[in-house]
mmCIF file of all heavy atoms in Angstrom:
data_model
loop_
_atom_site.group_PDB
_atom_site.id
_atom_site.type_symbol
_atom_site.label_atom_id
_atom_site.label_comp_id
_atom_site.label_asym_id
_atom_site.label_seq_id
_atom_site.Cartn_x
_atom_site.Cartn_y
_atom_site.Cartn_z
ATOM 1 N N ARG A 39 -4.467 13.254 -2.228
ATOM 2 C CA ARG A 39 -5.740 13.970 -2.303
ATOM 3 C C ARG A 39 -6.686 13.500 -1.192
ATOM 4 O O ARG A 39 -6.762 12.296 -0.903
ATOM 5 C CB ARG A 39 -6.389 13.751 -3.675
ATOM 6 C CG ARG A 39 -5.566 14.361 -4.793
ATOM 7 C CD ARG A 39 -6.281 14.303 -6.151
ATOM 8 N NE ARG A 39 -6.856 13.022 -6.495
ATOM 9 C CZ ARG A 39 -6.249 12.080 -7.187
ATOM 10 N NH1 ARG A 39 -4.997 12.233 -7.587
ATOM 11 N NH2 ARG A 39 -6.881 10.949 -7.506
ATOM 12 N N LEU A 40 -7.406 14.441 -0.624
ATOM 13 C CA LEU A 40 -8.422 14.165 0.389
ATOM 14 C C LEU A 40 -9.730 14.818 -0.101
ATOM 15 O O LEU A 40 -9.835 16.035 -0.158
ATOM 16 C CB LEU A 40 -8.009 14.746 1.741
ATOM 17 C CG LEU A 40 -9.005 14.606 2.869
ATOM 18 C CD1 LEU A 40 -9.306 13.126 3.165
ATOM 19 C CD2 LEU A 40 -8.464 15.289 4.111
ATOM 20 N N ALA A 41 -10.687 13.981 -0.485
ATOM 21 C CA ALA A 41 -11.984 14.479 -0.996
ATOM 22 C C ALA A 41 -12.889 14.877 0.178
ATOM 23 O O ALA A 41 -12.688 14.449 1.311
ATOM 24 C CB ALA A 41 -12.639 13.419 -1.847
ATOM 25 N N ALA A 42 -13.904 15.648 -0.133
ATOM 26 C CA ALA A 42 -14.870 16.107 0.871
ATOM 27 C C ALA A 42 -15.580 14.944 1.571
ATOM 28 O O ALA A 42 -15.944 15.050 2.746
ATOM 29 C CB ALA A 42 -15.876 17.053 0.234
ATOM 30 N N ASP A 43 -15.759 13.809 0.867
ATOM 31 C CA ASP A 43 -16.452 12.658 1.466
ATOM 32 C C ASP A 43 -15.516 11.773 2.283
ATOM 33 O O ASP A 43 -15.916 10.720 2.777
ATOM 34 C CB ASP A 43 -17.153 11.850 0.398
ATOM 35 C CG ASP A 43 -16.201 11.103 -0.536
ATOM 36 O OD1 ASP A 43 -14.963 11.302 -0.427
ATOM 37 O OD2 ASP A 43 -16.692 10.317 -1.377
ATOM 38 N N GLY A 44 -14.242 12.177 2.440
ATOM 39 C CA GLY A 44 -13.291 11.396 3.253
ATOM 40 C C GLY A 44 -12.455 10.413 2.448
ATOM 41 O O GLY A 44 -11.642 9.693 3.020
ATOM 42 N N THR A 45 -12.652 10.378 1.130
ATOM 43 C CA THR A 45 -11.850 9.464 0.302
ATOM 44 C C THR A 45 -10.438 10.013 0.170
ATOM 45 O O THR A 45 -10.224 11.164 -0.192
ATOM 46 C CB THR A 45 -12.485 9.291 -1.109
ATOM 47 O OG1 THR A 45 -13.781 8.744 -0.947
ATOM 48 C CG2 THR A 45 -11.636 8.383 -1.969
ATOM 49 N N VAL A 46 -9.458 9.141 0.468
ATOM 50 C CA VAL A 46 -8.054 9.480 0.355
ATOM 51 C C VAL A 46 -7.522 8.786 -0.882
ATOM 52 O O VAL A 46 -7.800 7.604 -1.105
ATOM 53 C CB VAL A 46 -7.284 9.010 1.611
ATOM 54 C CG1 VAL A 46 -5.797 9.306 1.476
ATOM 55 C CG2 VAL A 46 -7.850 9.637 2.856
ATOM 56 N N THR A 47 -6.707 9.506 -1.665
ATOM 57 C CA THR A 47 -6.065 8.894 -2.834
ATOM 58 C C THR A 47 -4.566 9.077 -2.707
ATOM 59 O O THR A 47 -4.066 10.217 -2.670
ATOM 60 C CB THR A 47 -6.572 9.544 -4.139
ATOM 61 O OG1 THR A 47 -7.993 9.374 -4.210
ATOM 62 C CG2 THR A 47 -5.942 8.876 -5.356
ATOM 63 N N LEU A 48 -3.886 7.951 -2.579
ATOM 64 C CA LEU A 48 -2.414 7.923 -2.467
ATOM 65 C C LEU A 48 -1.845 7.410 -3.777
ATOM 66 O O LEU A 48 -2.500 6.624 -4.471
ATOM 67 C CB LEU A 48 -2.000 7.001 -1.315
ATOM 68 C CG LEU A 48 -2.607 7.270 0.038
ATOM 69 C CD1 LEU A 48 -2.254 6.152 1.015
ATOM 70 C CD2 LEU A 48 -2.143 8.612 0.566
ATOM 71 N N SER A 49 -0.619 7.791 -4.099
ATOM 72 C CA SER A 49 -0.004 7.334 -5.349
ATOM 73 C C SER A 49 1.505 7.347 -5.221
ATOM 74 O O SER A 49 2.075 7.873 -4.284
ATOM 75 C CB SER A 49 -0.455 8.230 -6.508
ATOM 76 O OG SER A 49 -0.091 9.568 -6.254
ATOM 77 N N GLY A 50 2.129 6.746 -6.252
ATOM 78 C CA GLY A 50 3.580 6.687 -6.312
ATOM 79 C C GLY A 50 3.988 5.776 -7.453
ATOM 80 O O GLY A 50 3.242 5.585 -8.423
#
Side-chain angles (χ1 to χ4, degrees):
R39 296 187 312 268
L40 177 61
D43 69 354
T45 299
V46 178
T47 302
L48 306 172
S49 58

